[in-house]
């Protein structure tokens, strides 16, 4: 997260310099929202935009400050099929990542569920349903024992948030 902040600060400094030069009649042109095309390639600009989005998601939803209560793989029900996901349960929130690699890279989560006003319900022998205000999320686990572990942890996290 500190690395992203540093990159954003450097980008802002470059943007300010290019804006000053364009106002004073310098050779660098560009608007106040984009970097000059000579300083970064399109790929680098897209990557920086992705990092900015990730930083805003991290700032908006945050990562658990303390150690996660529970982490592990699960299948999440989609519109057409079940997809492998990686879950991180922290204090008052459940973060859903595409994979363990995405979580380790501290990339933005696919879903960040605040566990306030969430009903946690077992469904079937190895699945859990989270009923949120706007949507229902269903996660399937490899065993009933693993489902029960996640169920108790989610109920406890929802009660304490």
């Amino acid at each position: 997260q500190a690395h992203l902040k540093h990159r954003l600060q450097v980008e802002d400094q470059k943007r300010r310099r290019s804006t000053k030069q364009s106002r004073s009649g310098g050779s660098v042109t560009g608007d106040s929202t984009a970097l000059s095309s000579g300083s970064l390639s399109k790929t680098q600009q897209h990557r920086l935009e992705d990092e900015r989005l990730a930083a805003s998601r991290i700032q908006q939803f945050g990562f658990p400050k303390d150690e996660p209560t529970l982490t592990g793989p699960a299948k999440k029900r989609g519109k057409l099929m079940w997809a492998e996901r990686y879950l991180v349960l922290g204090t008052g929130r459940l973060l859903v990542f595409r994979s363990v690699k995405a979580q380790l890279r501290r990339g933005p989560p696919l879903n960040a569920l605040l566990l306030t006003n969430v009903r946690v319900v077992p469904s079937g022998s190895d699945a859990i349903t989270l009923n949120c205000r706007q949507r229902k999320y269903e996660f399937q686990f490899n065993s009933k024992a693993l489902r029960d572990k996640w169920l108790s942890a989610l109920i406890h996290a929802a009660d304490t948030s």
Side-chain angles (χ1 to χ4, degrees):
Q1 194 172 5
H3 173 70
L4 291 174
K5 284 182 182 178
H6 175 71
R7 297 251 337 235
L8 292 173
Q9 287 172 349
V10 169
E11 179 188 359
D12 287 338
Q13 289 172 353
K14 286 181 181 179
R15 189 181 312 125
R16 282 189 210 113
R17 270 189 250 133
S18 69
T19 304
K20 280 182 185 177
Q21 287 178 355
S22 65
R23 285 183 189 156
S24 65
S27 61
V28 179
T29 59
D31 59 38
S32 62
T33 60
L35 292 172
S36 61
S37 59
S39 63
L40 292 176
S41 69
K42 287 276 188 199
T43 305
Q44 290 171 325
Q45 287 176 358
H46 289 295
R47 194 172 294 140
L48 210 55
E49 284 299 316
D50 290 344
E51 288 176 359
R52 185 181 294 125
L53 176 64
S56 70
R57 274 235 179 120
I58 290 168
Q59 191 174 23
Q60 182 181 3
F61 297 111
F63 283 96
K65 300 278 186 266
D66 53 346
E67 286 296 312
T69 308
L70 193 57
T71 61
K75 290 182 181 175
K76 179 181 163 196
R77 181 185 291 260
K79 291 179 183 174
L80 301 175
M81 57 186 252
W82 292 88
E84 281 289 330
R85 296 292 179 247
Y86 189 78
L87 307 179
V88 177
L89 178 63
T91 309
R93 71 188 60 187
L94 177 68
L95 302 176
V96 181
F97 293 91
R98 186 172 304 280
S99 66
V100 67
K101 284 182 183 178
Q103 189 267 334
L104 291 174
R105 283 187 277 130
R106 301 295 243 187
L110 296 174
N111 302 103
L113 308 175
L114 295 176
L115 297 176
T116 53
N117 300 321
V118 171
R119 239 180 58 223
V120 183
V121 181
S123 58
S125 64
D126 60 351
I128 294 174
T129 301
L130 299 178
N131 293 316
C132 301
R133 288 181 186 165
Q134 303 158 343
R135 189 175 160 190
K136 191 166 40 168
Y137 297 90
E138 191 169 355
F139 299 100
Q140 187 179 43
F141 299 93
N142 291 334
S143 67
K144 184 179 184 326
L146 193 57
R147 190 273 319 246
D148 292 341
K149 185 177 178 180
W150 273 94
L151 183 63
S152 64
L154 283 164
I155 290 172
H156 178 73
D159 288 343
T160 57
S161 61

